[in-house]
Amino acid sequence: MKTDDLISMLAAGEPAMDRLAMAKRFALALLVGGVAAVVLMALYFGVRPDLAEVARTPVFWAKLALPGSLALGSLWLSTRLARPGVEGGAAWASLCLPIIVVWLAAIAALWQAPTEARMPMLLGISWKECPFNIAMLSVPGFISVFWALRGLAPTRLRLAGAGGGLLAGSTATLAYCLHCPEMEVPFWGVWYLSGMLLPALFGAIVGPYLLRW
């Protein structure tokens, strides 16, 4: 760049920054990822036929509360880590709290159940495929969330990648709940969390490469 051009550019001043840029990027990323996860779930797995009936039970909404609360916490974490030099802070606690609550509820449910019923409560009928189904549904959200992060300025790339991956995984789990027949808390506490942690782990691995700026 020529000196005269540089002087002209500096004299013109910086354009006003859009204060809603981060919110817009994450809103678009979540919209794309969430809609894509629901469409993939419906096409590949199908919506459970008794959804309208089961949606009237408190346990169904308790099942949604786990990925829903983790989605909110990971969104908070991701928006913090998208800023240069900012730490996760209290956002980490917002992720730990729902996990602790579910684990305590799972332990209580297993403790009260007959011995022969405990393993079926833990494994259900879909434990082998559940985490991988969630990870598969998280792919569109993973791509869109990482697009949002790349357009910002994260400096803790591994943590930002993990937060973005967890956001994609928890959003995908919300969609998967519309298909999954499992209604036992111990199942969610192990296999839903495993499914959400897979994209989070992958995000931590690829974050330093995909989010570098």
Side-chain angles (χ1 to χ4, degrees), residues 73-163:
S74 56
L75 176 60
W76 184 16
L77 177 65
S78 296
T79 55
R80 287 185 60 83
L81 294 175
R83 300 182 179 95
V86 178
E87 298 181 353
W92 292 112
S94 72
L95 296 176
C96 295
L97 181 59
I99 295 174
I100 292 173
V101 170
V102 167
W103 281 354
L104 290 176
I107 292 171
L110 291 171
W111 181 268
Q112 296 173 5
T115 303
E116 64 276 9
R118 290 173 182 171
M119 287 305 293
M121 291 174 65
L122 184 62
L123 300 180
I125 60 173
S126 61
W127 69 274
K128 291 182 179 179
E129 60 265 20
C130 175
F132 303 104
N133 291 344
I134 290 173
M136 188 270 283
L137 293 179
S138 73
V139 171
F142 191 94
I143 295 172
S144 62
V145 168
F146 266 63
W147 165 82
L149 287 169
R150 274 187 61 85
L152 300 168
T155 53
R156 293 174 169 82
L157 304 185
R158 199 171 296 280
L159 291 177

Side-chain angles (χ1 to χ4, degrees), residues 37-53:
V38 171
V39 171
L40 285 176
M41 177 277 302
L43 290 176
Y44 284 94
F45 307 123
V47 178
R48 57 184 296 174
D50 62 343
L51 181 61
E53 180 181 348

